[in-house]
Amino acid sequence: MLKLSLRPANLLRNFASQATACPHAANSADIEWKNAKPYSEIPSPGLGMLFKFMPGGELYNTSILHMNQYFHKNFGNIARMRGMFGAQDVVMIYDPQDFATVFRKEGQWPQRKALEGMDYYREKLRRDVYKKNGLLGNDGPQWQEFRSVVNPVLMQPKTVELYVNRIDEVTRELVEIIREARDEKDETPADFGHYMERWSLESMGTIALDTRLGVLEKSKNNKGDRLAYLMESMFELSFELEAKPSLWRIIKTPKFAKLMRMFDEVTNITLSYVQEAIKRIENEKEPKPVEQQGVLEKLLRIDRDIATVMSMDMLAVGVDTTSSTAKSLLYLLATNPVRQEKLRKEILSILPTKDTLLTPEKMRSLPYLRACMKEAHRILPVIAGTVRGTQQDLVLQGYQIPKGTWIVMAGGILTDNEENFSKPREFIPERWLKDDSHKAEGVKHAKEAHPFIYLPFGFGPRMCVGRRFAELEIETFIIRFLREFEVSWKYPEPKMRSTFINSLTGDLKFTMKELDY
């Protein structure tokens, strides 16, 4: 059983307090450190881990989900994956109380592990473009400088509200495309997932560049399809080179060279989009009023380099994560018709007719939709966990964790555990509502779970800066498709592609029967 030594409310209330705030706390920490077992004794498969990744080994062709399940099952709530071939050690932890400890002591500039291949590409090969490395690779003062510029723009609710009508327009166009693409059995094409990826890119283009990219329609040489393929392949190859033993840090292997070519193509596609948008904005005769300026225009007036890299990152990284979450939620609603109908009633309350437009005011009145989104994040999390570099010596699970250790807080495998959520594999959005409807479902309220066990967008200063926009896209997608169609699923459970991002994969043939009201 997990030991919850602090009540959730107190844990969050006291988050900002540091253990060094008083001498007594510092002395207690010193004593705890001295009494802890040394780092070298953390359970680990040792160097024999290499053989487990080889053909016939337990982790051959593994996924990040399977890897975490393996470590948790075999070693408990803490394990050390020894670095090989130039890689650093990584400590995997599976207790949310330890997550709280790491977050509470992450310091002024939280350190998050970047994708090493991406970092190498930007720092060594393409400094001409990435004069600022963006939020994906920066740490320390450079990260703070970048974040201090983008936070007021991307996390401002009024900025997000500017895009409600625009995202609704994109999504309604996708609805019409899918309406025509269905077969005689009202089933979507097998590659429906690619339609969703194009929708995600088109939506993100609207947000990041304040322009339409024109990638919704399926066509030859579609940049949307190419970028979605590149991002999916990039995450898969990065996972293989960085999460598994690999020689690329010592010898630049063919796979590493392939990854660099992928980064180059992603850079060229996204940069071309951004440069076109910047040129359009700069050629405008008169600037828009501040309250009407989009993300790119606002950032350009602060720092051109930051504006360029942030827009490129939004196009590249925001597509796969958003479309993956939307796929998961649509699938869960399709396989839970009672929940789907309950959500549809809520949607009908704001969209009495199909041609009713969405507004920011209407989007505020959807508690059940937001509960459904939270439940989808819990059952099918898009990321496996969060990584931090320790900013000071810590003690976790009775072991010494030296400053500078990479910690993987793998909460993605804990949210489907009966110890943390009752009826964990069932899709029960009611557990997130503020009323007592969870009691009728025979489940505990989600607030009774440890507050650090469910962190789909991260936590603290490094929480996902694009969270509000991602939620807007997903909410709009679900609203429009459930308003137009009764959605069902007639096939076996789809497979999950699990690398650094988790996503349903394979044929996604939903049955979409048109509603006549």
Side-chain angles (χ1 to χ4, degrees):
M1 295 290 288
L2 298 177
K3 297 179 180 179
L4 309 184
S5 60
L6 294 176
R7 290 182 297 174
N10 291 337
L11 188 60
L12 291 176
R13 190 180 302 118
N14 296 327
F15 172 78
S17 64
Q18 299 295 316
T20 56
C22 66
H24 176 73
N27 291 336
S28 298
D30 290 341
I31 293 171
E32 184 184 27
W33 176 266
K34 290 177 181 178
N35 291 333
K37 289 175 280 189
Y39 175 83
S40 60
E41 293 184 11
I42 296 175
S44 170
L47 296 178
M49 186 76 181
L50 176 63
F51 297 101
K52 297 183 183 298
F53 286 98
M54 292 181 176
E58 295 175 82
L59 297 176
Y60 180 62
N61 282 338
T62 189
S63 67
I64 199 165
L65 175 63
H66 180 219
M67 187 184 295
N68 274 310
Q69 290 170 336
Y70 169 84
F71 274 98
H72 193 210
K73 177 182 177 181
N74 289 280
F75 302 105
N77 283 336
I78 187 168
R80 176 164 64 111
M81 184 173 176
R82 295 189 182 185
M84 288 178 273
F85 310 124
Q88 290 180 264
D89 282 9
V90 172
V91 174
M92 327 278 283
I93 59 175
Y94 302 94
D95 186 334
Q97 187 58 42
D98 289 336
F99 301 172
T101 298
V102 174
F103 281 124
R104 193 186 304 116
K105 299 182 179 181
E106 63 183 353
Q108 180 183 2
W109 301 317
Q111 188 177 17
R112 184 176 65 187
K113 190 175 180 64
L115 289 177
E116 294 179 65
M118 178 184 288
D119 205 39
Y120 179 93
Y121 173 79
R122 294 185 173 192
E123 292 287 343
K124 304 292 185 183
L125 304 181
R126 293 304 301 270
R127 290 296 288 175
D128 60 312
V129 174
Y130 299 98
K131 297 179 178 67
K132 301 287 177 68
N133 197 355
L135 296 177
L136 299 176
N138 270 334
D139 280 314
Q142 294 80 17
W143 164 80
Q144 186 178 50
E145 176 197 359
F146 202 104
R147 187 88 187 211
S148 66
V149 170
V150 301
N151 266 16
V153 176
L154 293 175
M155 302 188 80
Q156 172 58 251
K158 288 185 179 180
T159 302
V160 180
E161 289 177 355
L162 286 174
Y163 293 92
V164 171
N165 289 335
R166 304 176 205 182
I167 300 304
D168 189 27
E169 177 185 293
V170 173
T171 308
R172 283 185 285 120
E173 287 186 23
L174 177 65
V175 166
E176 294 307 314
I177 290 171
I178 295 303
R179 193 194 310 277
E180 296 301 319
R182 293 174 302 166
D183 63 17
E184 66 280 358
K185 296 186 291 184
D186 290 329
E187 288 187 351
T188 60
D191 63 346
F192 178 61
H194 294 312
Y195 285 83
M196 295 182 69
E197 288 159 3
R198 288 193 289 272
W199 158 80
S200 184
L201 178 58
E202 188 74 23
S203 299
M204 189 52 70
T206 302
I207 294 167
L209 307 178
D210 200 20
T211 190
R212 292 294 299 270
L213 302 180
V215 299
L216 268 183
E217 292 283 359
K218 187 175 183 178
S219 63
K220 291 183 178 180
N221 302 318
N222 188 311
K223 283 187 180 180
D225 282 342
R226 185 59 185 168
L227 188 57
Y229 165 79
L230 286 168
M231 294 311 298
E232 179 179 320
S233 301
M234 183 200 79
F235 282 119
E236 288 180 354
L237 190 51
S238 293
F239 174 72
E240 185 174 345
L241 293 177
E242 299 182 27
K244 302 177 184 180
S246 175
L247 289 168
W248 75 266
R249 297 174 185 87
I250 301 171
I251 302 171
K252 297 303 180 271
T253 62
K255 286 186 177 180
F256 177 80
K258 180 180 179 181
L259 182 62
M260 294 302 104
R261 291 194 297 271
M262 286 181 181
F263 285 135
D264 237 0
E265 193 171 353
V266 168
T267 295
N268 292 338
I269 292 174
T270 55
L271 183 60
S272 68
Y273 281 137
V274 174
Q275 288 176 333
E276 289 172 10
I278 290 175
K279 185 177 181 180
R280 174 180 50 79
I281 291 172
E282 291 179 339
N283 287 339
E284 290 179 351
K285 295 181 179 180
E286 293 184 5
K288 298 176 184 175
V290 175
E291 63 274 11
Q292 295 179 20
Q293 290 175 10
V295 169
L296 179 58
E297 189 167 358
K298 286 179 177 177
L299 290 177
L300 277 172
R301 300 190 188 285
I302 304 171
D303 188 305
R304 185 187 180 95
D305 291 334
I306 288 178
T308 300
V309 174
M310 189 70 236
S311 298
M312 292 172 67
D313 283 350
M314 290 174 71
L315 289 176
V317 181
V319 173
D320 208 16
T321 51
T322 302
S323 62
S324 294
T325 303
K327 289 177 197 174
S328 295
L329 179 51
L330 186 65
Y331 168 74
L332 289 167
L333 289 165
T335 53
N336 288 272
V338 173
R339 314 292 182 196
Q340 180 183 154
E341 187 56 34
K342 183 174 180 177
L343 176 55
R344 183 174 290 108
K345 288 180 181 178
E346 181 177 84
I347 293 170
L348 287 169
S349 71
I350 66 164
L351 297 182
T353 65
K354 292 182 179 181
D355 57 358
T356 304
L357 299 180
L358 282 175
T359 65
E361 293 72 28
K362 289 180 172 131
M363 297 291 283
R364 297 188 191 111
S365 306
L366 299 165
Y368 196 66
L369 173 56
R370 295 194 172 90
C372 288
M373 288 177 61
K374 290 178 179 178
E375 188 71 340
H377 280 306
R378 184 190 67 79
I379 293 179
L380 296 172
V382 71
I383 58 171
T386 304
V387 182
R388 287 292 187 271
T390 55
Q391 303 292 300
Q392 57 181 285
D393 293 340
L394 299 179
V395 174
L396 302 176
Q397 296 292 313
Y399 292 95
Q400 295 176 346
I401 309 294
K403 178 181 177 180
T405 302
W406 287 116
I407 303 290
V408 176
M409 294 170 276
I413 65 169
L414 302 180
T415 53
D416 65 350
N417 191 310
E418 186 73 41
E419 295 179 351
N420 303 313
F421 291 93
S422 43
K423 300 182 181 179
R425 296 310 303 163
E426 294 185 35
F427 182 71
I428 305 175
E430 285 74 10
R431 73 174 88 235
W432 299 96
L433 295 175
K434 293 182 179 179
D435 58 25
D436 291 333
S437 58
H438 65 282
K439 294 181 180 178
E441 301 291 340
V443 297
K444 294 180 180 179
H445 197 279
K447 67 183 178 182
E448 295 186 44
H450 195 287
F452 283 86
I453 201 169
Y454 171 84
L455 301 172
F457 293 96
F459 189 84
R462 296 206 74 144
M463 178 182 286
C464 176
V465 72
R467 173 178 182 170
R468 293 182 185 275
F469 286 109
E471 290 178 332
L472 171 62
E473 289 180 64
I474 298 162
E475 288 169 2
T476 305
F477 177 88
I478 295 299
I479 288 169
R480 280 302 172 189
F481 270 84
L482 262 59
R483 183 61 188 85
E484 297 282 343
F485 305 107
E486 178 184 318
V487 186
S488 59
W489 181 265
K490 299 178 181 178
Y491 299 96
E493 182 177 347
K495 294 180 180 180
M496 176 71 74
R497 169 175 57 85
S498 178
T499 58
F500 289 123
I501 291 178
N502 301 321
S503 181
L504 298 180
T505 190
D507 293 351
L508 294 180
K509 300 182 69 172
F510 291 92
T511 300
M512 292 192 175
K513 185 176 181 182
E514 195 158 358
L515 300 174
D516 57 4
Y517 54 87

